[in-house]
Amino acid sequence: MTGRPSEYKVVLVVRGELRLTAGKAAVQVAHGAVMLYQLAERRHGAALEAWLRGGQKKIAVVAPTLADLEELQRQARARGIPTVFVEDAGLTEVPPGTRTVLGLGPAPEAEVDRVSGSLPLL
Amino acid sequence: MTGRPSEYKVVLVVRGELRLTAGKAAVQVAHGAVMLYQLAERRHGAALEAWLRGGQKKIAVVAPTLADLEELQRQARARGIPTVFVEDAGLTEVPPGTRTVLGLGPAPEAEVDRVSGSLPLL
């Protein structure tokens, strides 16, 4: 391949207002990555293959509020990017069912970046 | 089920001496979780099913050095617990091929805890 016209990426967007500890955030991000993997296996096989071939590139970023995550999900869906919401079991730090992370992808990097490219890294 | 005789867990052990940022650690932990998922799909189907039924419980902990991670891996293997090592692509923070995270499981919680139960949470 010349250049990387179809590099695929997963983005995990952490809900900043929850102020999760590093360990809690890591676990929620991991949960989102596994959920996206499961979803892609069922419905986005070609994207999953492309993502795995590229070394399963992923990044973790932050958006302030749940409303921000919901808006990002709307934008991603409008572009056909797979999305998942991680809901915490609520054993620690936050109440049960709290939405902690929005997962996006795997999808072409240029597409995902149009949705989440301006967010700061976790 | 009465009680939780067969609750399954995944543990991600972060290599503390690397002093990764929260975001970098989260991504490495997520990478380990996906690698364990892939390994379990190929070779530990019953454990994977048990783990998913239980809500894919996972925690992130810290061990100081690579030698500690390697010793934990030996102990886990001796108990038949699946293990993976995450090697960073090295684009940021650490050199390419650096081992960043040891993943353990999914395996019965009591078994995994005998290996990693004394490690502090990330």
Side-chain angles (χ1 to χ4, degrees), chain B residues 17-102:
Chain B
E17 64 188 344
L18 297 178
R19 298 187 167 281
L20 301 174
T21 62
K24 184 77 175 181
V27 166
Q28 301 296 308
V29 163
H31 201 114
V34 170
M35 289 171 69
L36 287 174
Y37 188 93
Q38 293 177 297
L39 177 63
E41 276 192 323
R42 289 197 306 273
R43 290 171 40 191
H44 310 282
L48 181 61
E49 285 307 309
W51 180 64
L52 292 173
R53 266 200 313 277
Q56 52 162 297
K57 183 171 187 177
K58 59 180 91 63
I59 63 165
V61 299
V62 185
T65 68
L66 180 59
D68 295 319
L69 266 58
E70 289 170 341
E71 174 57 25
L72 291 163
Q73 184 182 45
R74 276 190 290 274
Q75 293 176 22
R77 282 178 168 165
R79 294 181 175 280
I81 298 169
T83 73
V84 297
F85 254 117
V86 180
E87 293 192 1
D88 191 71
L91 303 178
T92 54
E93 297 193 29
V94 297
T98 299
R99 291 181 155 194
T100 56
V101 166
L102 172 68

Side-chain angles (χ1 to χ4, degrees), chain A residues 9 11 59 61 72 75 104 109-121:
Chain A
K9 185 161 77 168
V11 177
I59 62 167
V61 299
L72 290 164
Q75 293 176 21
L104 307 174
E109 183 154 28
E111 276 295 298
V112 185
D113 283 351
R114 277 191 200 97
V115 175
S116 60
S118 67
L119 298 172
L121 290 174

Side-chain angles (χ1 to χ4, degrees), chain A residues 12 21-27 29-35 37-38 41 51-52 55-60 91 121-122, chain B residues 12 21-27 29-35 37-38 41 51-52 55-60 91 121-122:
Chain A
L12 292 313
T21 61
K24 184 78 174 181
V27 165
V29 164
H31 201 113
V34 170
M35 288 171 68
Y37 188 92
Q38 293 177 298
E41 276 192 324
W51 180 63
L52 292 173
Q56 52 162 298
K57 182 170 187 177
K58 60 180 92 59
I59 62 167
L91 302 178
L121 290 174
L122 176 65
Chain B
L12 292 312
T21 62
K24 184 77 175 181
V27 166
V29 163
H31 201 114
V34 170
M35 289 171 69
Y37 188 93
Q38 293 177 297
E41 276 192 323
W51 180 64
L52 292 173
Q56 52 162 297
K57 183 171 187 177
K58 59 180 91 63
I59 63 165
L91 303 178
L121 290 174
L122 175 65

Side-chain angles (χ1 to χ4, degrees), chain A residues 20-114:
Chain A
L20 301 174
T21 61
K24 184 78 174 181
V27 165
Q28 301 296 308
V29 164
H31 201 113
V34 170
M35 288 171 68
L36 287 175
Y37 188 92
Q38 293 177 298
L39 177 64
E41 276 192 324
R42 289 197 307 272
R43 290 171 40 193
H44 310 283
L48 181 61
E49 285 307 309
W51 180 63
L52 292 173
R53 266 201 313 277
Q56 52 162 298
K57 182 170 187 177
K58 60 180 92 59
I59 62 167
V61 299
V62 186
T65 69
L66 180 59
D68 294 319
L69 267 58
E70 290 170 341
E71 174 57 26
L72 290 164
Q73 185 182 44
R74 276 190 291 275
Q75 293 176 21
R77 282 179 169 166
R79 293 180 175 280
I81 297 169
T83 74
V84 296
F85 254 116
V86 179
E87 293 193 1
D88 191 71
L91 302 178
T92 55
E93 296 193 30
V94 298
T98 299
R99 293 181 153 194
T100 56
V101 165
L102 172 69
L104 307 174
E109 183 154 28
E111 276 295 298
V112 185
D113 283 351
R114 277 191 200 97

